Short mmCIF file of all heavy atoms in Angstrom, two decimals:
data_model
loop_
_atom_site.label_atom_id
_atom_site.label_comp_id
_atom_site.label_asym_id
_atom_site.label_seq_id
_atom_site.Cartn_x
_atom_site.Cartn_y
_atom_site.Cartn_z
N ILE A 141 -40.34 -10.18 45.96
CA ILE A 141 -41.42 -9.16 46.07
C ILE A 141 -42.52 -9.56 45.10
O ILE A 141 -42.28 -9.76 43.91
CB ILE A 141 -40.87 -7.76 45.72
CG1 ILE A 141 -39.69 -7.41 46.64
CG2 ILE A 141 -41.97 -6.71 45.83
CD1 ILE A 141 -39.00 -6.08 46.32
N SER A 142 -43.74 -9.69 45.63
CA SER A 142 -44.81 -10.24 44.78
C SER A 142 -46.08 -9.40 44.79
O SER A 142 -46.30 -8.58 45.70
CB SER A 142 -45.11 -11.68 45.22
OG SER A 142 -45.32 -11.73 46.60
N PRO A 143 -46.94 -9.59 43.77
CA PRO A 143 -48.18 -8.81 43.63
C PRO A 143 -49.39 -9.54 44.25
O PRO A 143 -49.25 -10.61 44.83
CB PRO A 143 -48.33 -8.72 42.12
CG PRO A 143 -47.82 -10.04 41.63
CD PRO A 143 -46.77 -10.49 42.62
N TRP A 144 -50.58 -8.96 44.06
CA TRP A 144 -51.79 -9.52 44.67
C TRP A 144 -52.64 -10.33 43.69
O TRP A 144 -53.58 -11.00 44.10
CB TRP A 144 -52.66 -8.38 45.21
CG TRP A 144 -52.79 -7.25 44.23
CD1 TRP A 144 -52.05 -6.10 44.23
CD2 TRP A 144 -53.63 -7.16 43.08
NE1 TRP A 144 -52.38 -5.32 43.15
CE2 TRP A 144 -53.35 -5.94 42.43
CE3 TRP A 144 -54.61 -8.00 42.53
CZ2 TRP A 144 -53.99 -5.54 41.26
CZ3 TRP A 144 -55.25 -7.61 41.36
CH2 TRP A 144 -54.94 -6.39 40.74
N ASN A 145 -52.36 -10.26 42.38
CA ASN A 145 -53.33 -10.85 41.44
C ASN A 145 -53.26 -12.37 41.39
O ASN A 145 -54.25 -13.03 41.11
CB ASN A 145 -53.15 -10.24 40.04
CG ASN A 145 -51.80 -10.55 39.45
OD1 ASN A 145 -50.79 -10.56 40.14
ND2 ASN A 145 -51.76 -10.79 38.17
N TRP A 146 -52.06 -12.93 41.64
CA TRP A 146 -51.89 -14.37 41.85
C TRP A 146 -51.10 -14.46 43.14
O TRP A 146 -49.90 -14.76 43.14
CB TRP A 146 -51.12 -15.00 40.68
CG TRP A 146 -51.94 -15.20 39.46
CD1 TRP A 146 -52.27 -14.25 38.54
CD2 TRP A 146 -52.56 -16.41 39.02
NE1 TRP A 146 -53.05 -14.81 37.56
CE2 TRP A 146 -53.25 -16.14 37.83
CE3 TRP A 146 -52.61 -17.72 39.53
CZ2 TRP A 146 -53.97 -17.11 37.13
CZ3 TRP A 146 -53.32 -18.68 38.82
CH2 TRP A 146 -53.99 -18.38 37.65
N THR A 150 -47.49 -16.60 42.59
CA THR A 150 -46.27 -15.84 42.29
C THR A 150 -45.24 -16.03 43.42
O THR A 150 -44.05 -16.17 43.16
CB THR A 150 -46.58 -14.33 42.10
OG1 THR A 150 -47.41 -13.90 43.18
CG2 THR A 150 -47.27 -14.05 40.79
N LYS A 168 -41.73 -10.36 50.58
CA LYS A 168 -42.70 -9.32 50.89
C LYS A 168 -43.88 -9.43 49.92
O LYS A 168 -43.72 -9.23 48.72
CB LYS A 168 -42.07 -7.93 50.72
CG LYS A 168 -43.00 -6.84 51.22
CD LYS A 168 -42.68 -5.47 50.67
CE LYS A 168 -43.45 -5.14 49.42
NZ LYS A 168 -44.91 -5.12 49.55
N PRO A 169 -45.06 -9.76 50.45
CA PRO A 169 -46.24 -9.79 49.57
C PRO A 169 -46.78 -8.39 49.35
O PRO A 169 -46.32 -7.42 49.97
CB PRO A 169 -47.24 -10.63 50.36
CG PRO A 169 -46.87 -10.43 51.79
CD PRO A 169 -45.39 -10.13 51.84
N SER A 170 -47.78 -8.29 48.49
CA SER A 170 -48.46 -7.01 48.27
C SER A 170 -49.23 -6.61 49.53
O SER A 170 -49.76 -7.46 50.25
CB SER A 170 -49.42 -7.15 47.10
OG SER A 170 -50.36 -6.10 47.12
N GLU A 171 -49.33 -5.32 49.77
CA GLU A 171 -50.11 -4.79 50.89
C GLU A 171 -51.58 -5.20 50.76
O GLU A 171 -52.29 -5.27 51.76
CB GLU A 171 -50.05 -3.26 50.95
CG GLU A 171 -48.68 -2.66 51.00
CD GLU A 171 -48.05 -2.44 49.63
OE1 GLU A 171 -47.98 -3.38 48.81
OE2 GLU A 171 -47.60 -1.31 49.38
N ASN A 172 -52.04 -5.46 49.53
CA ASN A 172 -53.44 -5.84 49.33
C ASN A 172 -53.71 -7.29 49.74
O ASN A 172 -54.86 -7.66 49.95
CB ASN A 172 -53.83 -5.72 47.85
CG ASN A 172 -53.95 -4.28 47.42
OD1 ASN A 172 -54.38 -3.44 48.19
ND2 ASN A 172 -53.57 -4.00 46.19
N GLY A 199 -45.15 -5.23 54.41
CA GLY A 199 -44.86 -3.80 54.41
C GLY A 199 -45.14 -3.18 53.07
O GLY A 199 -45.54 -3.87 52.12
N SER A 200 -44.92 -1.88 52.99
CA SER A 200 -45.21 -1.18 51.74
C SER A 200 -44.05 -1.36 50.76
O SER A 200 -42.92 -1.65 51.15
CB SER A 200 -45.42 0.31 52.01
OG SER A 200 -44.17 0.89 52.35
N GLY A 201 -44.37 -1.14 49.48
CA GLY A 201 -43.32 -1.21 48.47
C GLY A 201 -42.29 -0.13 48.68
O GLY A 201 -41.08 -0.36 48.59
N ARG A 202 -42.81 1.07 48.96
CA ARG A 202 -41.91 2.22 49.08
C ARG A 202 -40.91 2.04 50.22
O ARG A 202 -39.75 2.40 50.10
CB ARG A 202 -42.72 3.50 49.28
CG ARG A 202 -42.18 4.63 48.43
CD ARG A 202 -43.04 5.87 48.49
NE ARG A 202 -44.47 5.62 48.41
CZ ARG A 202 -45.36 6.23 49.17
NH1 ARG A 202 -44.99 7.12 50.05
NH2 ARG A 202 -46.65 5.98 49.03
N VAL A 204 -40.55 -1.11 52.69
CA VAL A 204 -39.94 -2.44 52.83
C VAL A 204 -39.37 -2.92 51.48
O VAL A 204 -38.25 -3.44 51.41
CB VAL A 204 -40.97 -3.44 53.41
CG1 VAL A 204 -40.44 -4.87 53.37
CG2 VAL A 204 -41.29 -3.04 54.84
N GLY A 205 -40.14 -2.73 50.40
CA GLY A 205 -39.66 -3.17 49.07
C GLY A 205 -38.36 -2.47 48.69
O GLY A 205 -37.42 -3.09 48.20
N GLN A 206 -38.29 -1.17 48.97
CA GLN A 206 -37.06 -0.43 48.66
C GLN A 206 -35.91 -0.85 49.57
O GLN A 206 -34.77 -0.96 49.13
CB GLN A 206 -37.31 1.09 48.76
CG GLN A 206 -38.00 1.65 47.54
CD GLN A 206 -37.13 1.48 46.27
OE1 GLN A 206 -36.09 2.09 46.14
NE2 GLN A 206 -37.57 0.63 45.35
N SER A 209 -34.62 -4.03 48.12
CA SER A 209 -33.94 -3.88 46.82
C SER A 209 -32.58 -3.20 46.97
O SER A 209 -31.70 -3.38 46.14
CB SER A 209 -34.79 -3.04 45.86
OG SER A 209 -36.11 -3.46 45.88
N PHE A 219 -38.65 -9.84 41.43
CA PHE A 219 -39.79 -8.92 41.58
C PHE A 219 -40.87 -9.27 40.56
O PHE A 219 -40.58 -9.46 39.38
CB PHE A 219 -39.32 -7.48 41.35
CG PHE A 219 -40.44 -6.48 41.29
CD1 PHE A 219 -40.90 -5.86 42.44
CD2 PHE A 219 -41.06 -6.17 40.08
CE1 PHE A 219 -41.95 -4.95 42.39
CE2 PHE A 219 -42.11 -5.26 40.02
CZ PHE A 219 -42.55 -4.65 41.18
N THR A 220 -42.10 -9.36 41.00
CA THR A 220 -43.23 -9.45 40.07
C THR A 220 -44.19 -8.34 40.42
O THR A 220 -44.60 -8.19 41.58
CB THR A 220 -43.94 -10.82 40.18
OG1 THR A 220 -42.99 -11.84 39.90
CG2 THR A 220 -45.08 -10.93 39.18
N GLY A 221 -44.54 -7.54 39.42
CA GLY A 221 -45.44 -6.43 39.66
C GLY A 221 -45.50 -5.55 38.42
O GLY A 221 -45.20 -5.98 37.31
N SER A 222 -45.87 -4.30 38.63
CA SER A 222 -46.06 -3.39 37.51
C SER A 222 -44.72 -2.96 36.91
O SER A 222 -43.69 -2.96 37.60
CB SER A 222 -46.83 -2.16 37.98
OG SER A 222 -46.10 -1.52 39.00
N THR A 223 -44.77 -2.55 35.66
CA THR A 223 -43.53 -2.09 35.00
C THR A 223 -42.99 -0.85 35.70
O THR A 223 -41.77 -0.71 35.87
CB THR A 223 -43.80 -1.86 33.50
OG1 THR A 223 -44.07 -3.15 32.92
CG2 THR A 223 -42.62 -1.24 32.79
N GLY A 224 -43.87 0.02 36.17
CA GLY A 224 -43.42 1.24 36.85
C GLY A 224 -42.61 0.91 38.09
O GLY A 224 -41.49 1.42 38.28
N ALA A 225 -43.14 0.03 38.94
CA ALA A 225 -42.41 -0.33 40.17
C ALA A 225 -41.15 -1.13 39.82
O ALA A 225 -40.11 -0.99 40.48
CB ALA A 225 -43.31 -1.12 41.11
N GLY A 226 -41.24 -1.96 38.76
CA GLY A 226 -40.08 -2.76 38.34
C GLY A 226 -38.90 -1.89 37.93
O GLY A 226 -37.75 -2.22 38.23
N VAL A 228 -38.22 1.04 39.14
CA VAL A 228 -37.64 1.59 40.38
C VAL A 228 -36.79 0.52 41.07
O VAL A 228 -35.66 0.79 41.52
CB VAL A 228 -38.75 2.11 41.32
CG1 VAL A 228 -38.16 2.65 42.62
CG2 VAL A 228 -39.59 3.18 40.64
N VAL A 229 -37.32 -0.70 41.14
CA VAL A 229 -36.58 -1.79 41.80
C VAL A 229 -35.25 -2.03 41.07
O VAL A 229 -34.19 -2.14 41.69
CB VAL A 229 -37.44 -3.08 41.83
CG1 VAL A 229 -36.61 -4.30 42.20
CG2 VAL A 229 -38.60 -2.92 42.81
N THR A 232 -32.81 0.78 41.82
CA THR A 232 -32.32 0.72 43.21
C THR A 232 -31.30 -0.41 43.37
O THR A 232 -30.25 -0.23 43.99
CB THR A 232 -33.51 0.48 44.17
OG1 THR A 232 -34.49 1.48 43.92
CG2 THR A 232 -33.08 0.53 45.62
N LEU A 242 -37.16 -9.56 36.79
CA LEU A 242 -38.37 -8.73 36.78
C LEU A 242 -39.46 -9.36 35.92
O LEU A 242 -39.23 -9.62 34.73
CB LEU A 242 -38.05 -7.34 36.23
CG LEU A 242 -36.98 -6.50 36.93
CD1 LEU A 242 -36.69 -5.22 36.16
CD2 LEU A 242 -37.39 -6.18 38.36
N GLU A 243 -40.60 -9.62 36.52
CA GLU A 243 -41.77 -10.10 35.76
C GLU A 243 -42.79 -8.98 35.82
O GLU A 243 -43.38 -8.73 36.87
CB GLU A 243 -42.34 -11.35 36.39
CG GLU A 243 -41.37 -12.49 36.34
CD GLU A 243 -42.01 -13.81 36.73
OE1 GLU A 243 -43.07 -13.80 37.36
OE2 GLU A 243 -41.42 -14.84 36.39
N LEU A 244 -43.00 -8.30 34.70
CA LEU A 244 -43.74 -7.04 34.76
C LEU A 244 -45.04 -7.10 33.96
O LEU A 244 -45.58 -8.17 33.72
CB LEU A 244 -42.82 -5.92 34.29
CG LEU A 244 -41.46 -5.88 35.01
CD1 LEU A 244 -40.57 -4.78 34.45
CD2 LEU A 244 -41.62 -5.72 36.51
N GLY A 245 -45.49 -5.95 33.55
CA GLY A 245 -46.81 -5.85 32.94
C GLY A 245 -46.85 -6.33 31.50
O GLY A 245 -45.83 -6.69 30.91
N GLY A 246 -48.06 -6.33 30.95
CA GLY A 246 -48.22 -6.78 29.57
C GLY A 246 -49.42 -6.12 28.90
O GLY A 246 -50.27 -5.50 29.57
N SER A 276 -54.71 -10.35 35.03
CA SER A 276 -53.67 -11.33 34.72
C SER A 276 -52.68 -10.67 33.78
O SER A 276 -53.07 -10.02 32.81
CB SER A 276 -54.26 -12.57 34.04
OG SER A 276 -54.75 -13.45 35.01
N CYS A 277 -51.41 -10.89 34.09
CA CYS A 277 -50.37 -10.20 33.30
C CYS A 277 -50.38 -10.65 31.84
O CYS A 277 -50.03 -9.87 30.97
CB CYS A 277 -49.01 -10.43 33.93
SG CYS A 277 -48.73 -12.14 34.38
N HIS A 278 -50.76 -11.91 31.55
CA HIS A 278 -50.75 -12.42 30.18
C HIS A 278 -52.10 -12.23 29.47
O HIS A 278 -52.31 -12.80 28.39
CB HIS A 278 -50.40 -13.91 30.15
CG HIS A 278 -48.94 -14.18 30.36
ND1 HIS A 278 -48.38 -14.24 31.60
CD2 HIS A 278 -47.93 -14.40 29.48
CE1 HIS A 278 -47.08 -14.48 31.48
NE2 HIS A 278 -46.78 -14.59 30.22
N GLN A 324 -57.93 0.22 42.27
CA GLN A 324 -57.95 -0.52 41.01
C GLN A 324 -59.28 -0.28 40.28
O GLN A 324 -59.32 -0.10 39.06
CB GLN A 324 -57.75 -2.01 41.33
CG GLN A 324 -57.49 -2.89 40.12
CD GLN A 324 -56.15 -2.60 39.48
OE1 GLN A 324 -55.30 -1.93 40.04
NE2 GLN A 324 -55.97 -3.08 38.26
N GLU A 377 -51.65 -0.98 30.07
CA GLU A 377 -52.16 -2.15 30.76
C GLU A 377 -53.29 -1.70 31.69
O GLU A 377 -53.05 -0.91 32.61
CB GLU A 377 -51.05 -2.82 31.57
CG GLU A 377 -51.50 -4.11 32.22
CD GLU A 377 -50.45 -4.74 33.13
OE1 GLU A 377 -49.84 -4.00 33.92
OE2 GLU A 377 -50.27 -5.96 33.04
N PHE A 379 -55.52 -3.89 33.37
CA PHE A 379 -55.61 -4.83 34.47
C PHE A 379 -57.04 -4.93 35.02
O PHE A 379 -57.28 -4.90 36.22
CB PHE A 379 -54.62 -4.44 35.58
CG PHE A 379 -53.82 -5.63 36.04
CD1 PHE A 379 -53.14 -6.43 35.14
CD2 PHE A 379 -53.77 -5.99 37.39
CE1 PHE A 379 -52.40 -7.54 35.55
CE2 PHE A 379 -53.04 -7.09 37.82
CZ PHE A 379 -52.37 -7.86 36.90
N LEU A 405 -44.98 -9.52 26.77
CA LEU A 405 -45.11 -10.65 27.71
C LEU A 405 -45.67 -11.89 27.01
O LEU A 405 -45.02 -12.92 26.95
CB LEU A 405 -45.99 -10.23 28.88
CG LEU A 405 -45.96 -11.15 30.09
CD1 LEU A 405 -44.54 -11.34 30.62
CD2 LEU A 405 -46.83 -10.59 31.21
N MET A 442 -41.23 -18.73 31.49
CA MET A 442 -42.20 -17.65 31.38
C MET A 442 -41.49 -16.34 31.70
O MET A 442 -40.75 -16.27 32.68
CB MET A 442 -43.33 -17.87 32.38
CG MET A 442 -44.44 -16.83 32.26
SD MET A 442 -45.64 -17.00 33.59
CE MET A 442 -44.89 -16.00 34.85
N GLY A 443 -41.71 -15.33 30.87
CA GLY A 443 -41.09 -14.04 31.13
C GLY A 443 -41.29 -13.13 29.94
O GLY A 443 -41.90 -13.52 28.96
N GLY A 444 -40.78 -11.92 30.06
CA GLY A 444 -41.11 -10.93 29.05
C GLY A 444 -39.95 -10.44 28.21
O GLY A 444 -38.80 -10.40 28.65
N SER A 448 -41.58 -5.82 29.52
CA SER A 448 -42.33 -6.79 30.32
C SER A 448 -41.41 -7.56 31.26
O SER A 448 -41.89 -8.42 32.01
CB SER A 448 -43.09 -7.77 29.42
OG SER A 448 -44.22 -7.13 28.89
N SER A 453 -38.97 -17.31 34.60
CA SER A 453 -39.27 -18.15 35.75
C SER A 453 -39.78 -19.50 35.26
O SER A 453 -40.12 -19.65 34.09
CB SER A 453 -40.30 -17.49 36.67
OG SER A 453 -41.54 -17.37 36.02
P1 LIG B 1 -47.21 -3.25 42.00
O1 LIG B 1 -46.05 -2.97 41.12
O2 LIG B 1 -48.02 -2.14 42.50
O3 LIG B 1 -46.73 -4.06 43.30
C1 LIG B 1 -46.06 -5.30 43.23
C2 LIG B 1 -45.23 -5.49 44.47
O4 LIG B 1 -44.17 -4.54 44.44
C3 LIG B 1 -45.98 -5.23 45.78
O5 LIG B 1 -45.52 -6.12 46.75
C4 LIG B 1 -45.58 -3.80 46.11
O6 LIG B 1 -45.65 -3.51 47.48
C5 LIG B 1 -44.15 -3.79 45.63
N1 LIG B 1 -43.64 -2.46 45.28
C6 LIG B 1 -44.32 -1.40 44.78
N2 LIG B 1 -43.49 -0.36 44.59
C7 LIG B 1 -42.25 -0.79 44.96
C8 LIG B 1 -40.98 -0.17 45.02
N3 LIG B 1 -40.80 1.09 44.64
N4 LIG B 1 -39.93 -0.90 45.44
C9 LIG B 1 -40.08 -2.18 45.81
N5 LIG B 1 -41.27 -2.81 45.82
C10 LIG B 1 -42.34 -2.11 45.40
O7 LIG B 1 -48.07 -4.33 41.20
P2 LIG B 1 -49.46 -4.97 41.61
O8 LIG B 1 -50.51 -3.94 41.36
O9 LIG B 1 -49.35 -5.59 42.94
O10 LIG B 1 -49.58 -6.15 40.53
C11 LIG B 1 -50.07 -5.96 39.26
C12 LIG B 1 -48.94 -5.88 38.26
O11 LIG B 1 -48.14 -7.05 38.32
C13 LIG B 1 -49.43 -5.81 36.83
O12 LIG B 1 -48.69 -4.85 36.11
C14 LIG B 1 -49.15 -7.20 36.28
O13 LIG B 1 -49.00 -7.26 34.89
C15 LIG B 1 -47.91 -7.55 37.01
N6 LIG B 1 -47.70 -9.01 37.04
C16 LIG B 1 -46.77 -9.57 36.20
C17 LIG B 1 -46.59 -10.94 36.16
C18 LIG B 1 -45.58 -11.55 35.23
O14 LIG B 1 -45.30 -12.74 35.35
N7 LIG B 1 -44.99 -10.81 34.31
C19 LIG B 1 -47.35 -11.77 37.00
C20 LIG B 1 -48.29 -11.18 37.84
C21 LIG B 1 -48.46 -9.80 37.85
#
Side-chain angles (χ1 to χ4, degrees):
I141 303 176
S142 50
W144 46 263
N145 63 322
W146 284 79
T150 48
K168 188 200 93 61
S170 163
E171 305 87 307
N172 288 325
S200 71
R202 223 174 317 137
V204 172
Q206 280 298 293
S209 314
F219 172 89
T220 302
S222 59
T223 293
V228 179
V229 167
T232 306
L242 301 174
E243 296 190 342
L244 308 177
S276 277
C277 46
H278 284 83
Q324 191 68 13
E377 185 185 45
F379 228 52
L405 194 56
M442 184 187 87
S448 284
S453 66

